[in-house]
């Protein structure tokens, strides 16, 4: 892992020196402003997310459905079974759409 972070590191250096290098590694912090936008008048908005932890094979998804004013209509979080993160994201979106369809009187985007 250290070779990936610091490609020119000498693998044969003493353990104490290697530990000193590791302690100096700092993550590169990047950030950006993320804003939720209101939906069109008379419509609702679905935001979903899914997560899969390969080490534990635990997975889940969640989401929130808001009206045109940003007020919460319903939120959900469920445990699901899958073996990769992409499938969990798809399941989260699908669950959100199905939930919206069950609220048939609402228009959604």
């Amino acid at each position: 892992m250290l070779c990936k972070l610091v490609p020119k590191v000498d693998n044969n250096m003493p353990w104490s020196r290697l530990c000193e290098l590791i302690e100096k590694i700092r993550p590169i912090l990047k950030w950006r402003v993320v804003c939720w936008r209101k939906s069109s008048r008379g419509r609702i908005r679905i935001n979903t997310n899914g997560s899969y932890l390969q080490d534990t094979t635990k997975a889940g998804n969640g989401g929130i459905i808001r009206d045109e004013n940003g007020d919460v209509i319903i939120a959900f979080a469920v445990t699901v079974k899958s073996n990769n993160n992409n499938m969990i994201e798809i399941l989260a979106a699908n669950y959100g759409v199905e939930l919206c369809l069950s609220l048939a009187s609402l228009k959604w985007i």
Side-chain angles (χ1 to χ4, degrees), residues 2-3 5-6 9-26:
L2 185 61
C3 290
L5 292 171
V6 187
V9 71
D10 178 10
N11 288 336
N12 297 319
M13 71 176 58
W15 179 251
S16 60
R17 178 70 182 124
L18 190 59
C19 289
E20 287 175 21
L21 282 175
I22 291 171
E23 288 174 355
K24 291 179 182 178
I25 295 174
R26 298 287 181 251

Side-chain angles (χ1 to χ4, degrees), residues 5-107:
L5 292 171
V6 187
K8 296 179 182 178
V9 71
D10 178 10
N11 288 336
N12 297 319
M13 71 176 58
W15 179 251
S16 60
R17 178 70 182 124
L18 190 59
C19 289
E20 287 175 21
L21 282 175
I22 291 171
E23 288 174 355
K24 291 179 182 178
I25 295 174
R26 298 287 181 251
I28 298 170
L29 301 177
K30 293 182 180 182
W31 63 273
R32 65 181 176 160
V33 176
V34 178
C35 298
W36 182 86
R37 291 186 300 204
K38 291 182 179 182
S39 58
S40 304
R41 185 175 171 97
R43 296 189 179 260
I44 62 174
R45 184 175 296 269
I46 311 168
N47 295 104
T48 62
N49 192 22
S51 181
Y52 170 71
L53 299 174
Q54 187 173 2
D55 296 345
T56 63
T57 68
K58 291 184 178 183
N61 62 41
I64 189 164
I65 301 170
R66 297 177 186 259
D67 67 13
E68 63 191 46
N69 298 314
D71 296 328
V72 175
I73 296 172
I74 193 167
F76 64 92
V78 294
T79 302
V80 293
K81 292 187 185 270
S82 184
N83 59 0
N84 71 67
N85 199 53
N86 291 335
M87 183 56 73
I88 297 302
E89 293 285 352
I90 291 167
L91 291 172
N94 186 63
Y95 191 89
V97 169
E98 286 181 3
L99 199 52
C100 282
L101 291 174
S102 71
L103 306 169
S105 63
L106 299 173
K107 295 178 184 175

